[in-house]
Amino acid sequence: MTENTSGDAPKTPKPPEPSGVDLARVALRAAKDAARARGDAAQQKKQARRGGLRSGARADGRDPMALGSAINRLITERGWEAPAAVGGVMGRWPQIVGEDVAKHCVPERYDEDERVLIVRCDSTAWATNLRLLAPTLVARLNEDLGHGTVQLIKVQGPGGPARRYGPLRAPGSTGPGDTYG
């Protein structure tokens, strides 16, 4: 074992700090689209000066767009990349968490402002199990979606039974809890 004679403490790798990679990606796409639009407008002006717009063998801005590229363009323009990616995760939930967990725990919604994924489990035992797995699951989701996309997973247990209203209920009663305070 060698001694550290330089007096420096051994360096430990720091976890990556959140960066504006996602914001930079959106800004780059917007700049590319703006440049492409300026180029298309200039091309149309040239064609108009040469005797009007003509249809030809080459692609131009008037050609129909494939549905997939139109949707991708809309997602980019509106800044919906993170919610769309999380929506894809909800579709691939069984592959991400495993078949056993997916049978009992289902993602309900994603809060983009707080970056929270809300998952509902069908029993308290599965809710407890998923709460224990949550840090690992957050790390796995952030690997797939980008750093900081999901900061927290809120796990909810099963809901209570439906409230029953019947002929023997007192008007304005909130059930057995209103008797005890």
Side-chain angles (χ1 to χ4, degrees):
M1 198 164 166
T2 62
E3 275 187 44
N4 189 355
T5 58
S6 64
D8 293 336
K11 294 183 180 180
T12 58
K14 293 171 56 177
E17 293 185 20
S19 64
V21 174
D22 294 329
L23 294 174
R25 195 175 296 141
V26 171
L28 177 63
R29 286 187 185 154
K32 283 182 178 180
D33 289 341
R36 190 176 299 119
R38 283 193 304 270
D40 290 344
Q43 183 70 21
Q44 288 178 356
K45 283 181 185 177
K46 276 186 196 176
Q47 288 177 349
R49 276 186 256 143
R50 282 189 279 164
L53 296 173
R54 291 179 282 213
S55 178
R58 293 189 184 102
D60 63 9
R62 299 174 294 154
D63 289 341
M65 185 182 287
L67 181 62
S69 60
I71 289 174
N72 288 338
R73 183 175 165 190
L74 179 67
I75 287 171
T76 302
E77 287 174 357
R78 303 289 172 117
W80 295 339
E81 289 160 323
V86 173
V89 164
M90 290 185 181
R92 294 180 288 122
W93 184 252
Q95 290 87 17
I96 293 171
V97 297
E99 293 293 328
D100 291 337
V101 176
K103 288 179 188 175
H104 300 282
C105 304
V106 179
E108 282 193 340
R109 66 182 184 274
Y110 173 69
D111 185 357
E112 184 180 1
D113 297 331
E114 296 181 17
R115 298 185 183 273
V116 174
L117 180 65
I118 298 169
V119 179
R120 170 132 354 240
C121 297
D122 62 1
S123 71
T124 55
W126 279 103
T128 303
N129 187 19
L130 194 64
R131 282 186 192 105
L132 295 172
L133 292 174
T136 306
L137 192 54
V138 167
R140 188 180 305 164
L141 288 171
N142 283 330
E143 276 180 23
D144 192 26
L145 302 172
H147 183 72
T149 304
V150 177
Q151 291 182 349
L152 179 69
I153 294 179
K154 282 189 180 177
V155 181
Q156 297 178 341
R163 291 186 53 156
R164 296 189 185 130
Y165 298 98
L168 300 178
R169 304 277 306 185
S173 170
T174 57
D178 68 351
T179 307
Y180 303 108

